[in-house]
Amino acid sequence: MIYADTDFFIALVKDDDWLQDRAAEIALENEGEIYTSRATLLELLVISDRFEFDRMEALTYALEIAAVPEDEDVLFQAADYMEQDELTAFDAYHVAYADEDPLVSSDKSFDDVTDGRIAIEAVELE
């Protein structure tokens, strides 16, 4: 299983997102193995005007791609990430929700708290 944060869904629903091809590839490769949280869906609503995408379409699409299990302990773990790692509330929630599973995102701040980020952006080869 892999956890998808908001960046992943933004890339899929924005018409001109530079990460769209890679996000679609990840979605296809991991069909039936992706999950997300209510916080991700809420964040999609919060940012829908700024990024100018259809919020109903985005929610429908996200729910077709990802399951949404819930666990209240996630909130306490998120609070700890906010304190210890200085993450935003949404980012802390995403990392806590993913737990030990890989997390697909373009947000590099996750790299400070997990080795399991699947980068949407192109990875530079050394």
Side-chain angles (χ1 to χ4, degrees):
M1 297 293 291
I2 63 170
Y3 179 83
D5 91 328
T6 311
D7 291 355
F8 177 69
F9 296 107
I10 292 170
L12 292 171
V13 299
K14 274 183 59 189
D15 290 333
D16 61 347
D17 197 288
W18 67 284
L19 300 171
Q20 190 170 62
D21 290 342
R22 175 73 175 129
E25 179 182 313
I26 291 169
L28 286 173
E29 289 173 357
N30 296 282
E31 188 174 350
E33 298 295 317
I34 299 173
Y35 69 102
T36 195
S37 66
R38 289 183 186 163
T40 300
L41 303 178
L42 176 59
E43 191 174 11
L44 279 173
L45 293 177
V46 169
I47 63 171
S48 62
D49 287 334
R50 180 174 41 146
F51 285 99
E52 298 179 353
F53 58 81
D54 183 297
R55 61 181 62 95
M56 295 297 268
E57 181 180 319
L59 287 175
T60 301
Y61 195 53
L63 290 170
E64 287 175 356
I65 293 172
V68 185
E70 290 297 313
D71 178 2
E72 293 80 18
D73 292 338
V74 169
L75 294 169
F76 294 100
Q77 182 63 53
D80 189 51
Y81 282 131
M82 290 174 74
E83 291 292 322
Q84 301 300 320
D85 300 299
E86 300 182 15
L87 293 177
T88 66
F90 278 118
D91 287 350
Y93 189 84
H94 294 315
V95 173
Y97 205 95
D99 193 26
E100 298 294 321
D101 289 333
L103 186 152
V104 60
S105 177
S106 63
D107 193 334
K108 294 178 183 174
S109 68
F110 294 129
D111 295 342
D112 294 335
V113 293
T114 182
D115 294 330
R117 182 174 74 91
I118 299 170
I120 304 173
E121 73 277 14
V123 179
E124 294 179 19
L125 300 175
E126 294 180 15

